Amino acid sequence: MLKAFHPLPKLALCLAWIAGSLLIFQLWFQVTLFCAASALLLLDARIPPRRLLVLMIPFVLFGFGFFTTSVLFRAESGFAVQMAQEQGGTPAVAPGLVLFFRVLACGMTSAVFALTTDPGQFVRALMQHLRLPAAMGFALMQAMHMVPDLRGEMLQLRMARAIRLGRPLRRIPTPAEAVALAIPLLAYAIRRATRAALAFEARGLHPNRKRSQLPQPPITRSDWVLLSVGSLLLLAMTAMPLITAT
């Protein structure tokens, strides 16, 4: 379902949920958003649980300070207390715990978009619907293809180096090996950049010039339905504290 969702409505919906997470200082909202995003990645995007746990590590480390200060040491940082006061946090819930789950909720929501969206389709949608300049769009696509290609080139260089030295390939390169690979990788990047520049020139990527576009998938009725359902759920969860208070 998410992979068939048009990139632009999906981006708008994910940004709306992230904005809701940043504005609503409630533990139940952060936990609900985190669990919902994780469930979508597991059940809809078919992300393996192990990979999902590895994906959470940077966000856990980022918010771990708030968690340990609030839960383990029973103290609160001045930043967490100020955030709770400014955003209407309840004194019954530790502000650091809310900030910890906020980091996880925003991280998993961004992962939902990143792991279920084809980068090329997203850039082409930006060019067609939001009038992204063609030069910028093709530069983004070149950068997105450059990173995995650079990784593959580095692996080939390491394999060739291991064969020449007659030793098995190490899982993690040593500092000496990393320094030895710097110049070949730099030369490879320069060659790729030169080819990209020639391709840009051949495509005629000049500003203020009319260009034809390959047919792209339009925003369908199902996309609008998913966007509406997600927006209504966000509005309902936002209004729930007001309803319970009255």
PDB file of all heavy atoms in Angstrom, residues 16-40:
ATOM      1  N   ALA A  16       3.187  16.214   8.112  1.00  0.00           N
ATOM      2  CA  ALA A  16       2.119  16.614   9.030  1.00  0.00           C
ATOM      3  C   ALA A  16       2.192  15.839  10.340  1.00  0.00           C
ATOM      4  O   ALA A  16       2.027  16.403  11.433  1.00  0.00           O
ATOM      5  CB  ALA A  16       0.764  16.409   8.364  1.00  0.00           C
ATOM      6  N   TRP A  17       2.458  14.529  10.260  1.00  0.00           N
ATOM      7  CA  TRP A  17       2.578  13.730  11.480  1.00  0.00           C
ATOM      8  C   TRP A  17       3.810  14.114  12.280  1.00  0.00           C
ATOM      9  O   TRP A  17       3.774  14.133  13.527  1.00  0.00           O
ATOM     10  CB  TRP A  17       2.608  12.245  11.125  1.00  0.00           C
ATOM     11  CG  TRP A  17       1.246  11.684  10.893  1.00  0.00           C
ATOM     12  CD1 TRP A  17       0.620  11.501   9.689  1.00  0.00           C
ATOM     13  CD2 TRP A  17       0.321  11.239  11.892  1.00  0.00           C
ATOM     14  NE1 TRP A  17      -0.631  10.983   9.884  1.00  0.00           N
ATOM     15  CE2 TRP A  17      -0.842  10.793  11.214  1.00  0.00           C
ATOM     16  CE3 TRP A  17       0.367  11.165  13.279  1.00  0.00           C
ATOM     17  CZ2 TRP A  17      -1.943  10.293  11.895  1.00  0.00           C
ATOM     18  CZ3 TRP A  17      -0.734  10.670  13.967  1.00  0.00           C
ATOM     19  CH2 TRP A  17      -1.873  10.242  13.269  1.00  0.00           C
ATOM     20  N   ILE A  18       4.913  14.446  11.617  1.00  0.00           N
ATOM     21  CA  ILE A  18       6.106  14.896  12.333  1.00  0.00           C
ATOM     22  C   ILE A  18       5.834  16.236  13.016  1.00  0.00           C
ATOM     23  O   ILE A  18       6.239  16.462  14.173  1.00  0.00           O
ATOM     24  CB  ILE A  18       7.299  14.992  11.366  1.00  0.00           C
ATOM     25  CG1 ILE A  18       7.732  13.592  10.922  1.00  0.00           C
ATOM     26  CG2 ILE A  18       8.467  15.720  12.010  1.00  0.00           C
ATOM     27  CD1 ILE A  18       8.835  13.582   9.887  1.00  0.00           C
ATOM     28  N   ALA A  19       5.128  17.136  12.314  1.00  0.00           N
ATOM     29  CA  ALA A  19       4.768  18.409  12.930  1.00  0.00           C
ATOM     30  C   ALA A  19       3.863  18.193  14.145  1.00  0.00           C
ATOM     31  O   ALA A  19       4.007  18.861  15.174  1.00  0.00           O
ATOM     32  CB  ALA A  19       4.077  19.303  11.900  1.00  0.00           C
ATOM     33  N   GLY A  20       2.922  17.228  14.033  1.00  0.00           N
ATOM     34  CA  GLY A  20       2.077  16.920  15.180  1.00  0.00           C
ATOM     35  C   GLY A  20       2.888  16.388  16.351  1.00  0.00           C
ATOM     36  O   GLY A  20       2.614  16.732  17.514  1.00  0.00           O
ATOM     37  N   SER A  21       3.894  15.567  16.067  1.00  0.00           N
ATOM     38  CA  SER A  21       4.738  15.048  17.130  1.00  0.00           C
ATOM     39  C   SER A  21       5.536  16.155  17.803  1.00  0.00           C
ATOM     40  O   SER A  21       5.772  16.114  19.025  1.00  0.00           O
ATOM     41  CB  SER A  21       5.687  13.984  16.563  1.00  0.00           C
ATOM     42  OG  SER A  21       6.575  13.510  17.549  1.00  0.00           O
ATOM     43  N   LEU A  22       5.949  17.164  17.031  1.00  0.00           N
ATOM     44  CA  LEU A  22       6.727  18.262  17.599  1.00  0.00           C
ATOM     45  C   LEU A  22       5.874  19.251  18.381  1.00  0.00           C
ATOM     46  O   LEU A  22       6.386  19.959  19.257  1.00  0.00           O
ATOM     47  CB  LEU A  22       7.464  19.009  16.471  1.00  0.00           C
ATOM     48  CG  LEU A  22       8.520  18.207  15.713  1.00  0.00           C
ATOM     49  CD1 LEU A  22       9.105  19.038  14.585  1.00  0.00           C
ATOM     50  CD2 LEU A  22       9.626  17.735  16.649  1.00  0.00           C
ATOM     51  N   LEU A  23       4.582  19.297  18.088  1.00  0.00           N
ATOM     52  CA  LEU A  23       3.707  20.267  18.744  1.00  0.00           C
ATOM     53  C   LEU A  23       2.960  19.687  19.935  1.00  0.00           C
ATOM     54  O   LEU A  23       2.597  20.427  20.854  1.00  0.00           O
ATOM     55  CB  LEU A  23       2.704  20.834  17.727  1.00  0.00           C
ATOM     56  CG  LEU A  23       3.293  21.672  16.592  1.00  0.00           C
ATOM     57  CD1 LEU A  23       2.210  22.078  15.605  1.00  0.00           C
ATOM     58  CD2 LEU A  23       3.989  22.909  17.144  1.00  0.00           C
ATOM     59  N   ILE A  24       2.704  18.389  19.941  1.00  0.00           N
ATOM     60  CA  ILE A  24       1.906  17.759  21.003  1.00  0.00           C
ATOM     61  C   ILE A  24       2.860  17.104  22.001  1.00  0.00           C
ATOM     62  O   ILE A  24       3.521  16.115  21.675  1.00  0.00           O
ATOM     63  CB  ILE A  24       0.924  16.731  20.420  1.00  0.00           C
ATOM     64  CG1 ILE A  24      -0.022  17.415  19.429  1.00  0.00           C
ATOM     65  CG2 ILE A  24       0.130  16.054  21.532  1.00  0.00           C
ATOM     66  CD1 ILE A  24      -0.942  16.462  18.706  1.00  0.00           C
ATOM     67  N   PHE A  25       2.926  17.647  23.192  1.00  0.00           N
ATOM     68  CA  PHE A  25       3.839  17.131  24.221  1.00  0.00           C
ATOM     69  C   PHE A  25       3.064  16.159  25.112  1.00  0.00           C
ATOM     70  O   PHE A  25       2.824  16.420  26.303  1.00  0.00           O
ATOM     71  CB  PHE A  25       4.414  18.286  25.037  1.00  0.00           C
ATOM     72  CG  PHE A  25       5.700  17.935  25.730  1.00  0.00           C
ATOM     73  CD1 PHE A  25       6.915  18.087  25.083  1.00  0.00           C
ATOM     74  CD2 PHE A  25       5.698  17.450  27.025  1.00  0.00           C
ATOM     75  CE1 PHE A  25       8.100  17.772  25.714  1.00  0.00           C
ATOM     76  CE2 PHE A  25       6.880  17.140  27.672  1.00  0.00           C
ATOM     77  CZ  PHE A  25       8.085  17.296  27.015  1.00  0.00           C
ATOM     78  N   GLN A  26       2.690  15.025  24.523  1.00  0.00           N
ATOM     79  CA  GLN A  26       1.947  13.992  25.246  1.00  0.00           C
ATOM     80  C   GLN A  26       2.624  12.649  24.981  1.00  0.00           C
ATOM     81  O   GLN A  26       2.928  12.315  23.837  1.00  0.00           O
ATOM     82  CB  GLN A  26       0.490  13.938  24.784  1.00  0.00           C
ATOM     83  CG  GLN A  26      -0.298  15.220  25.019  1.00  0.00           C
ATOM     84  CD  GLN A  26      -0.573  15.473  26.487  1.00  0.00           C
ATOM     85  OE1 GLN A  26      -0.587  14.540  27.294  1.00  0.00           O
ATOM     86  NE2 GLN A  26      -0.789  16.734  26.835  1.00  0.00           N
ATOM     87  N   LEU A  27       2.829  11.894  26.060  1.00  0.00           N
ATOM     88  CA  LEU A  27       3.522  10.615  25.922  1.00  0.00           C
ATOM     89  C   LEU A  27       2.723   9.636  25.082  1.00  0.00           C
ATOM     90  O   LEU A  27       3.277   8.925  24.232  1.00  0.00           O
ATOM     91  CB  LEU A  27       3.809  10.026  27.299  1.00  0.00           C
ATOM     92  CG  LEU A  27       4.546   8.673  27.308  1.00  0.00           C
ATOM     93  CD1 LEU A  27       5.907   8.791  26.656  1.00  0.00           C
ATOM     94  CD2 LEU A  27       4.684   8.145  28.729  1.00  0.00           C
ATOM     95  N   TRP A  28       1.406   9.593  25.285  1.00  0.00           N
ATOM     96  CA  TRP A  28       0.588   8.626  24.552  1.00  0.00           C
ATOM     97  C   TRP A  28       0.625   8.903  23.049  1.00  0.00           C
ATOM     98  O   TRP A  28       0.610   7.970  22.241  1.00  0.00           O
ATOM     99  CB  TRP A  28      -0.859   8.666  25.057  1.00  0.00           C
ATOM    100  CG  TRP A  28      -1.575   9.956  24.781  1.00  0.00           C
ATOM    101  CD1 TRP A  28      -1.650  11.052  25.590  1.00  0.00           C
ATOM    102  CD2 TRP A  28      -2.307  10.303  23.592  1.00  0.00           C
ATOM    103  NE1 TRP A  28      -2.375  12.050  24.992  1.00  0.00           N
ATOM    104  CE2 TRP A  28      -2.790  11.614  23.767  1.00  0.00           C
ATOM    105  CE3 TRP A  28      -2.592   9.623  22.409  1.00  0.00           C
ATOM    106  CZ2 TRP A  28      -3.551  12.265  22.816  1.00  0.00           C
ATOM    107  CZ3 TRP A  28      -3.337  10.269  21.440  1.00  0.00           C
ATOM    108  CH2 TRP A  28      -3.821  11.567  21.650  1.00  0.00           C
ATOM    109  N   PHE A  29       0.712  10.179  22.665  1.00  0.00           N
ATOM    110  CA  PHE A  29       0.765  10.516  21.236  1.00  0.00           C
ATOM    111  C   PHE A  29       2.081  10.031  20.628  1.00  0.00           C
ATOM    112  O   PHE A  29       2.091   9.448  19.538  1.00  0.00           O
ATOM    113  CB  PHE A  29       0.619  12.028  21.059  1.00  0.00           C
ATOM    114  CG  PHE A  29       0.548  12.463  19.619  1.00  0.00           C
ATOM    115  CD1 PHE A  29      -0.670  12.561  18.974  1.00  0.00           C
ATOM    116  CD2 PHE A  29       1.697  12.763  18.907  1.00  0.00           C
ATOM    117  CE1 PHE A  29      -0.739  12.955  17.643  1.00  0.00           C
ATOM    118  CE2 PHE A  29       1.644  13.155  17.580  1.00  0.00           C
ATOM    119  CZ  PHE A  29       0.412  13.247  16.953  1.00  0.00           C
ATOM    120  N   GLN A  30       3.186  10.263  21.324  1.00  0.00           N
ATOM    121  CA  GLN A  30       4.487   9.857  20.799  1.00  0.00           C
ATOM    122  C   GLN A  30       4.589   8.334  20.697  1.00  0.00           C
ATOM    123  O   GLN A  30       5.089   7.805  19.699  1.00  0.00           O
ATOM    124  CB  GLN A  30       5.605  10.394  21.697  1.00  0.00           C
ATOM    125  CG  GLN A  30       5.501  11.870  22.055  1.00  0.00           C
ATOM    126  CD  GLN A  30       5.562  12.790  20.852  1.00  0.00           C
ATOM    127  OE1 GLN A  30       6.075  12.413  19.798  1.00  0.00           O
ATOM    128  NE2 GLN A  30       5.044  13.994  20.991  1.00  0.00           N
ATOM    129  N   VAL A  31       4.111   7.629  21.729  1.00  0.00           N
ATOM    130  CA  VAL A  31       4.180   6.165  21.711  1.00  0.00           C
ATOM    131  C   VAL A  31       3.287   5.603  20.608  1.00  0.00           C
ATOM    132  O   VAL A  31       3.655   4.657  19.898  1.00  0.00           O
ATOM    133  CB  VAL A  31       3.790   5.604  23.085  1.00  0.00           C
ATOM    134  CG1 VAL A  31       3.690   4.089  23.038  1.00  0.00           C
ATOM    135  CG2 VAL A  31       4.812   6.024  24.136  1.00  0.00           C
ATOM    136  N   THR A  32       2.088   6.192  20.451  1.00  0.00           N
ATOM    137  CA  THR A  32       1.175   5.723  19.403  1.00  0.00           C
ATOM    138  C   THR A  32       1.771   5.926  18.018  1.00  0.00           C
ATOM    139  O   THR A  32       1.711   5.031  17.159  1.00  0.00           O
ATOM    140  CB  THR A  32      -0.166   6.454  19.510  1.00  0.00           C
ATOM    141  OG1 THR A  32      -0.726   6.244  20.807  1.00  0.00           O
ATOM    142  CG2 THR A  32      -1.144   5.953  18.457  1.00  0.00           C
ATOM    143  N   LEU A  33       2.366   7.087  17.778  1.00  0.00           N
ATOM    144  CA  LEU A  33       2.964   7.365  16.473  1.00  0.00           C
ATOM    145  C   LEU A  33       4.152   6.444  16.218  1.00  0.00           C
ATOM    146  O   LEU A  33       4.324   5.919  15.109  1.00  0.00           O
ATOM    147  CB  LEU A  33       3.396   8.829  16.399  1.00  0.00           C
ATOM    148  CG  LEU A  33       4.046   9.287  15.092  1.00  0.00           C
ATOM    149  CD1 LEU A  33       3.142   9.007  13.908  1.00  0.00           C
ATOM    150  CD2 LEU A  33       4.384  10.771  15.164  1.00  0.00           C
ATOM    151  N   PHE A  34       4.967   6.224  17.231  1.00  0.00           N
ATOM    152  CA  PHE A  34       6.115   5.329  17.089  1.00  0.00           C
ATOM    153  C   PHE A  34       5.674   3.891  16.781  1.00  0.00           C
ATOM    154  O   PHE A  34       6.207   3.245  15.869  1.00  0.00           O
ATOM    155  CB  PHE A  34       6.947   5.360  18.376  1.00  0.00           C
ATOM    156  CG  PHE A  34       7.950   4.253  18.486  1.00  0.00           C
ATOM    157  CD1 PHE A  34       9.018   4.167  17.615  1.00  0.00           C
ATOM    158  CD2 PHE A  34       7.812   3.280  19.461  1.00  0.00           C
ATOM    159  CE1 PHE A  34       9.946   3.130  17.716  1.00  0.00           C
ATOM    160  CE2 PHE A  34       8.729   2.253  19.569  1.00  0.00           C
ATOM    161  CZ  PHE A  34       9.797   2.174  18.693  1.00  0.00           C
ATOM    162  N   CYS A  35       4.668   3.400  17.504  1.00  0.00           N
ATOM    163  CA  CYS A  35       4.183   2.035  17.274  1.00  0.00           C
ATOM    164  C   CYS A  35       3.518   1.903  15.902  1.00  0.00           C
ATOM    165  O   CYS A  35       3.694   0.894  15.213  1.00  0.00           O
ATOM    166  CB  CYS A  35       3.213   1.630  18.379  1.00  0.00           C
ATOM    167  SG  CYS A  35       3.979   1.487  20.012  1.00  0.00           S
ATOM    168  N   ALA A  36       2.764   2.935  15.493  1.00  0.00           N
ATOM    169  CA  ALA A  36       2.101   2.877  14.195  1.00  0.00           C
ATOM    170  C   ALA A  36       3.108   2.881  13.050  1.00  0.00           C
ATOM    171  O   ALA A  36       2.982   2.102  12.090  1.00  0.00           O
ATOM    172  CB  ALA A  36       1.138   4.061  14.053  1.00  0.00           C
ATOM    173  N   ALA A  37       4.122   3.741  13.142  1.00  0.00           N
ATOM    174  CA  ALA A  37       5.140   3.780  12.091  1.00  0.00           C
ATOM    175  C   ALA A  37       5.931   2.474  12.036  1.00  0.00           C
ATOM    176  O   ALA A  37       6.217   1.955  10.945  1.00  0.00           O
ATOM    177  CB  ALA A  37       6.075   4.966  12.320  1.00  0.00           C
ATOM    178  N   SER A  38       6.259   1.918  13.201  1.00  0.00           N
ATOM    179  CA  SER A  38       6.992   0.644  13.221  1.00  0.00           C
ATOM    180  C   SER A  38       6.145  -0.485  12.649  1.00  0.00           C
ATOM    181  O   SER A  38       6.649  -1.350  11.919  1.00  0.00           O
ATOM    182  CB  SER A  38       7.414   0.316  14.657  1.00  0.00           C
ATOM    183  OG  SER A  38       8.240   1.333  15.187  1.00  0.00           O
ATOM    184  N   ALA A  39       4.842  -0.488  12.962  1.00  0.00           N
ATOM    185  CA  ALA A  39       3.955  -1.523  12.432  1.00  0.00           C
ATOM    186  C   ALA A  39       3.827  -1.417  10.917  1.00  0.00           C
ATOM    187  O   ALA A  39       3.796  -2.440  10.212  1.00  0.00           O
ATOM    188  CB  ALA A  39       2.579  -1.415  13.089  1.00  0.00           C
ATOM    189  N   LEU A  40       3.772  -0.200  10.392  1.00  0.00           N
ATOM    190  CA  LEU A  40       3.705  -0.028   8.938  1.00  0.00           C
ATOM    191  C   LEU A  40       4.972  -0.552   8.261  1.00  0.00           C
ATOM    192  O   LEU A  40       4.911  -1.180   7.202  1.00  0.00           O
ATOM    193  CB  LEU A  40       3.497   1.442   8.596  1.00  0.00           C
ATOM    194  CG  LEU A  40       2.097   2.008   8.841  1.00  0.00           C
ATOM    195  CD1 LEU A  40       2.086   3.517   8.594  1.00  0.00           C
ATOM    196  CD2 LEU A  40       1.063   1.334   7.949  1.00  0.00           C
TER     197      LEU A  40
END
